[in-house]
Amino acid sequence: MEILCSPNTGDIEKWIEDYLICNNSKKNLHIVPTLILYRRRMNFYKKKYIKEKFHGLDMMEIEEKIREKHVGLYEMDKFLQDLVTKSDLKVLSKRESLILIERILSENQYTNNLAWRLSITDLSDCFLILSQTGLTIEQIRTLDQSDSWQLVCNLYKQYTTALSQNKLLDFGQASVQLIEKYDFSDFEMLLLDGAFLPILPKHQILINRFKSLNKPIKCFLPVDLDIEEHPAFEAIKKTYGSFVPISNWQSIKNEKMKLNVSEKLAISIFHSKVKDIDDRSVEILRFTSQEEELDRTVEQAAQLIHQKSIKPEKIAIVTPNPMELRPVVRELSEIYNLKVLVPERPLIQLPHGRAINNLLKIYTDDQIDALGIEHIFDIKMFTDLIHANFFENFTELIRPFEILKAFFEDCKSFSEWYNTLEQMIRAKSQLTGEFLHHPLYHVTEKELLHLKNAVEIIEKVSQELISRDPMTFRDHMHDLISYIQNSPFIGCIDPEIETRLLSIAENLSSDHHLLVSRKEFAKRIHTIMTDKEYEKMDNKDLDKISVTGPNNVEFQEYEYVFLTRFTQNMYPETIKYRWPINLSIERKILNQTTDQRFPNDISLVHYYLDRSIYHFYIALNAAKKKLTISYSKFEDGIELSPSHYLNDIASCFGIEEDSSNSKETIEDLLMRAGFLFEGSKMAQQTNIVTKRVKSEPLSPDTVITIEDIAVYRFCPRRFYYEKTISDEHVYSTIFHLQNFAVSYLYEEAVVKLVEKFPDISVQKLNKIERSLPTLIHEAELKIKPFFPMGQRFWEDVKIRTSTHLSNLIKQILSQTDHKSAKLSLKTQSHTVKIDSYEFRGERQLQVRYGTSTHYYAIKNMRKILSFHTNDHREEQQRLKEIKDDYFNLLSNFCRKEHVAEETLHYYAKKFSTSQFPKNIGAHCNYCAFQKACKEKEIQTNETD
């Protein structure tokens, strides 16, 4: 084995050209650790073999032609997959392995439970690791002496026995067998291009095979041998020093004299100082939130492309856990019209994909076994199905369903849906104009029946889909597609979606060794429709921005690198183990199956810390024109700190913290030195003017109640919408529905209170309070049918009603020195015309004491109760003031006090200006007009 070193990817390609291509050497096996490096090297070979007739071929066809005639270029796992696919072995796919493991778990009394079933994927990954080691079951048992590991070994033995009995191999067993027996006569040499950290058993087996065949092995490593003791190369030296003494490593680096500061930083990091800071090619940006950071990063990339004509492939966004951020980056790239190298949305994220998944999930959801039920059908499933444009004539149900949605919150089965809908149909027939803002008031009985019919269709389709005989994965998929195409209930599927479904079915052709039940297939439909196989690279992918992790930019060169999420919880990278594999087991596997040696667990921990330093180094080294490092101060409300590597960067620039000045942080020092900047977009937002929603004057003779005045105080915009678009004033959220139900139940309970206790006193207080549940129950018989919500929500309604009723009684008995009062339902009201508006106020409960009479409003809660805000002290204080002022104004107005009329003149003048500004705050989340308010703001902005 020879090890050739250079930190420059061009040096590697020049060596390959000079020693292999120009000398017309025989075909070599060229293995790389990442798909990004694979793309670069494939593009290199394509250019070198330009005389070949590649015109009109797609990327996969070009790859095949180059592999067939010139060089076997593969990413390691793709190479193993290719070996297995072309072999005559009967190899179980990963999906089929999962089925086999699930069956084994169900046959064992200790593992036939939900906890173990949820661990199937972890067990499958563990079994693959074990089978790729080539170790016997006896050797595997020695890796750990714990009872849990021995149980895992017992399951693994059952798994391998089942494979053997069926004359099958899993992927790991097949790959080991094929490498050990393959003669590699079509390859002259093995090229290991890039650092494999660590060397895994599969790599070691390949190396050993080439050694046993006396075929040369060349390793290309991104190491600068001119810099001794560089911390960034420690992990590489630890790994490859086990194969070839470091003193025998060869440098193939060509000197590059002119370097900018970003390139100097890559050389100096963890090692030395940057001598001359003569440009601004390194920039560090600090943001408030991760959302702002990513938005600004994508925006900067867009500016480079659209304003400076930088080619997209010359830009990289480097971020830890890039898979997590793919959806965010994809959406931002669409906003800024960028071509970004992220896959298309998988089918499972598209409406039709979610619809198919939900139809099968009805009978396979994990909750079914846990709760011991036959099926589950909840509001999220129905929401996805009704919005998917999947079923015929379902789109016209979106409006009524969204209005009634809160009533179905607790529905978990088809019978519960039918029961709730039947209650709604009965309530609808009894509903009067008194329930103007009730959701049922705004839908028709025909729409309710249509909703019921939709649920019946979903039940029928889901039952038919789940009721199929065992067959292979591919046959299940074709059967599913055929059902969708021929069902009278399902609309026309988009041709592109149909193509993707058929493509998925074809990619399941290797899953043909096991017959699986429909439920076993259905449980994996989410994974199947993630359809990663559909994400094929074409020639256009070479012209897109790369979004990748720090570990994937080895031997890459970009003009602009954005290194994001540079926080302590991300750098250094955290090594996470998934049960049942742990650090100690991994170390023993590496020691037993490779030439690497780790004397104890802590040595492997240090190794991975060194690897993290190396990954940081290669991310810096990838930037050839400018490096932008960014981080946010908060993520999901949690305060973050920048990575401690920031201190190492500062040290390279000669910036050190002063121990005598504890108040000045490294961030302050970098900011003063002109390296660190606030990345906030506030400066760009100063030119954005918030558009005022245009308000037409209120119509003449508009009736305004005293409760409306309180609404105006709370939010003028909400008041305006209540008066002008009352048809959109529907209490459709569970928050509003509960408040609405409380107000009606409270009114009816007060009626029952007056009937049963027309005379109340302090002496009767205990008796009255004991009677409250009975009074509320009697009121409930009348009111509850109009609110067919989940029982847990209704219980809350009753508790809150009881509290309000109890407070009313206590308030009545504490108003005067009299310890008794007479109650009657007599209204005190007043109406007055001011300008063009008619103001009204009334109180419905009369309370007569010995020498005075008071009145209380009991119908005002429909509006007052829907006032809600957060727990902020100032907001709560403001809400209290509004309510206190409302009660004072209502009292004065009903008593025809002059001060009340003066106040109403003030409000009449305010209304006449047609200015109804929005009072923005947390309370907006609880407003019945939230959606309408946003829509009208958007319309105003678009018009302007």
Side-chain angles (χ1 to χ4, degrees), residues 714 868-882 919-923:
F714 196 65
H868 194 81
T869 184
N870 57 20
D871 293 330
H872 194 278
R873 185 175 178 180
E874 291 181 2
E875 285 282 315
Q876 294 288 357
Q877 181 61 33
R878 175 175 168 270
L879 185 58
K880 183 178 182 302
E881 289 176 2
I882 291 172
N919 179 27
I920 300 174
H923 57 84

Side-chain angles (χ1 to χ4, degrees), residues 813-829:
L813 293 175
S814 64
Q815 288 299 302
T816 68
D817 292 334
H818 298 279
K819 302 302 181 183
S820 62
K822 294 184 180 296
L823 308 182
S824 60
L825 295 173
K826 293 183 179 179
T827 299
Q828 180 192 47
S829 63

Side-chain angles (χ1 to χ4, degrees), residues 45 164 197 300 328 440 455 486 721 728 785 937:
Y45 283 122
S164 178
L197 302 176
Q300 284 181 298
V328 178
L440 284 171
V455 176
N486 298 303
Y721 287 151
E728 294 191 41
E937 286 174 346

Side-chain angles (χ1 to χ4, degrees), residues 290 294 298 324-333:
Q290 181 180 294
L294 295 175
V298 176
E324 290 179 4
L325 295 183
R326 275 183 172 182
V328 178
V329 173
R330 186 190 293 115
E331 289 174 11
L332 289 171
S333 65

Side-chain angles (χ1 to χ4, degrees), residues 253-318:
K253 185 181 81 167
N254 290 315
E255 287 296 328
K256 285 186 176 181
M257 299 304 295
K258 189 175 181 181
L259 299 173
N260 61 28
V261 173
S262 68
E263 292 172 302
K264 293 175 187 175
L265 176 62
I267 295 172
S268 303
I269 193 69
F270 308 118
H271 181 259
S272 59
K273 307 288 185 187
V274 174
K275 292 183 179 179
D276 298 310
I277 303 174
D278 48 11
D279 61 52
R280 290 293 178 185
S281 58
V282 175
E283 181 180 62
I284 306 169
L285 301 178
R286 181 174 65 187
F287 294 89
T288 301
S289 67
Q290 181 180 294
E291 291 78 9
E292 184 186 28
E293 177 190 0
L294 295 175
D295 189 4
R296 179 62 177 145
T297 297
V298 176
E299 183 187 31
Q300 284 181 298
Q303 289 173 348
L304 288 171
I305 294 168
H306 301 321
Q307 297 176 14
K308 297 189 177 181
S309 300
I310 303 299
K311 293 182 178 179
E313 67 268 24
K314 297 297 182 182
I315 301 172
I317 299 173
V318 180

